[in-house]
Amino acid sequence: GAYVRSIYPRLNTPRLKAAAIRAVASIGGADNDQWLLSVVRNTNESADVRAMAVRYAGRSSIPMADLAQMYDVADARPLREQLVRLYAQRPEPQATDKLLDIARTGTDPDMRRLAISALSRKNDPRTKKLLLEIIDK
């Protein structure tokens, strides 16, 4: 993992970067998990590469609380979409909390719709309450 992380900055195509991300993610471990998060945060990377890093970070042992914070710093729509999809798949209460937050206070109507759609598939009483609130408006 350390070797792949060290050569990553010299990779110049999305295909090579994707292969490196897959390799590091498959190895796992705390250092590799933190590296995945650093790729997600790196605004010099393309949104597609960062979204791929999110997909693999979601399968890692990174705490949901850390993944939930990523949405607030995400600056690209593909990255935010991937994060909402990740929250929809995760069973932790923090994932549902983040979806509820996006649905209630999000400024992007498309992301709000995506969050509401994800919430409608979750079996959580809070989601039913939010959906009823939206219908009543």
Side-chain angles (χ1 to χ4, degrees), residues 1-12:
Y3 174 72
V4 175
R5 292 191 320 260
S6 71
I7 64 166
Y8 182 84
R10 294 189 300 250
L11 303 177
N12 54 9

Side-chain angles (χ1 to χ4, degrees), residues 12-13 15 17-18 37-38 41-42 54 59 66 72-73 75 86-87 89 92 94 99 126 128 130 133-134:
N12 54 9
T13 68
R15 188 169 157 218
K17 289 180 178 195
L37 288 178
S38 73
R41 288 185 198 108
N42 186 349
V54 165
R59 298 176 194 156
D66 292 343
D72 298 327
V73 297
D75 58 347
L86 171 67
Y87 304 150
Q89 295 171 353
E92 296 96 332
Q94 297 98 330
L99 288 171
R126 296 175 299 158
K128 291 179 179 132
L130 173 71
E133 288 173 12
I134 291 170

Side-chain angles (χ1 to χ4, degrees), residues 60-110:
S60 71
S61 62
I62 297 171
M64 186 59 225
D66 292 343
L67 294 171
Q69 292 174 354
M70 298 307 297
Y71 186 87
D72 298 327
V73 297
D75 58 347
R77 177 171 277 178
L79 185 57
R80 285 185 165 208
E81 288 173 355
Q82 189 61 43
L83 284 162
V84 170
R85 287 187 193 100
L86 171 67
Y87 304 150
Q89 295 171 353
R90 298 291 289 255
E92 296 96 332
Q94 297 98 330
T96 303
D97 292 344
K98 190 60 184 177
L99 288 171
L100 288 166
D101 180 52
I102 295 165
R104 283 190 177 120
T105 63
T107 57
D108 183 338
D110 292 332

